[in-house]
Amino acid sequence: MTKPKITYGMYTMCMIRNDDKVLLINRPDQLGFPGYLGPGGKVEFPESLSEGAIREVYEETGLIVKNLEYKGIDEYVVPQTNYRYMVFNYLTDSYEGELLANPPEGELVWVPIQEAMDLPIQPWFKRRFPLYFEEGTFEISIVWDEDGQKPIEEKIRNLR
């Protein structure tokens, strides 16, 4: 019996911290995933995960980030399509450069960390956001029902 082909998508997200604030992108509806979220995107072959994070941050914000701290993985497994969507998450407070005047993904906003959860943000980002600022690394694993557009199973662990 032939096993079904499994496909993978690898993405990054990097929270950039400046004292008690974090840089978020306010994405417009037409770009998908509207609301506030962190910079990031697809890892291009053959770059490493951290290289992908650094490149995505630069493309979306104009900032060059350094000293990335790996915070954890957020993955979605979709049994109907045999797809595993993995997001590798980073945090940094080390950056240089100037914010883009016309960023491609939406308005760039320095938001107080304590106020971010009150903004309009996607549920998956709301679940992940506080974990960036806790000690240790995290693992979020979601088995997703594509037909019902809801989780079948959710696991969130701190891997200290």
Side-chain angles (χ1 to χ4, degrees):
M1 182 170 175
T2 305
K3 289 186 177 182
K5 183 178 180 192
I6 298 171
T7 55
Y8 301 88
M10 297 194 319
Y11 299 81
T12 64
M13 185 167 279
C14 183
M15 294 291 104
I16 305 165
R17 186 177 190 163
N18 184 345
D19 296 321
D20 66 339
K21 294 182 179 175
V22 66
L23 183 63
L24 298 179
I25 301 170
N26 185 7
R27 283 177 61 101
D29 291 350
Q30 67 267 24
L31 292 180
F33 300 117
Y36 291 81
L37 53 85
K42 190 169 178 125
V43 177
E44 295 178 357
F45 187 82
E47 69 188 351
S48 73
L49 299 171
S50 62
E51 288 169 340
I54 292 166
R55 177 188 50 76
E56 283 288 341
V57 166
Y58 180 73
E59 289 175 359
E60 294 181 359
T61 71
L63 299 179
I64 299 169
V65 291
K66 302 174 185 177
N67 302 326
L68 300 183
E69 177 185 355
Y70 177 70
K71 291 305 296 180
I73 186 167
D74 189 353
E75 67 174 348
Y76 295 80
V77 177
V78 185
Q80 291 98 327
T81 59
N82 293 319
Y83 185 68
R84 183 179 296 260
Y85 179 101
M86 299 177 287
V87 182
F88 297 87
N89 298 275
Y90 297 91
L91 174 69
T92 188
D93 61 2
S94 179
Y95 61 91
E96 58 187 44
E98 298 293 324
L99 292 178
L100 296 173
N102 294 303
E105 298 294 323
E107 176 189 17
L108 299 171
V109 183
W110 287 103
V111 175
I113 294 168
Q114 298 301 319
E115 296 174 16
M117 296 289 279
D118 298 328
L119 296 171
I121 60 178
Q122 296 287 319
W124 53 265
F125 186 57
K126 186 172 258 192
R127 174 179 52 238
R128 188 187 319 168
F129 183 80
L131 302 175
Y132 285 99
F133 309 102
E134 293 180 4
E135 281 198 39
T137 56
F138 62 84
E139 177 183 75
I140 299 172
S141 180
I142 308 292
V143 178
W144 185 256
D145 176 7
E146 188 67 19
D147 298 329
Q149 290 294 297
K150 63 181 181 188
I152 298 168
E153 180 181 10
E154 295 184 37
K155 297 176 192 165
I156 302 173
R157 298 181 185 96
N158 189 311
L159 304 175
R160 287 182 211 192

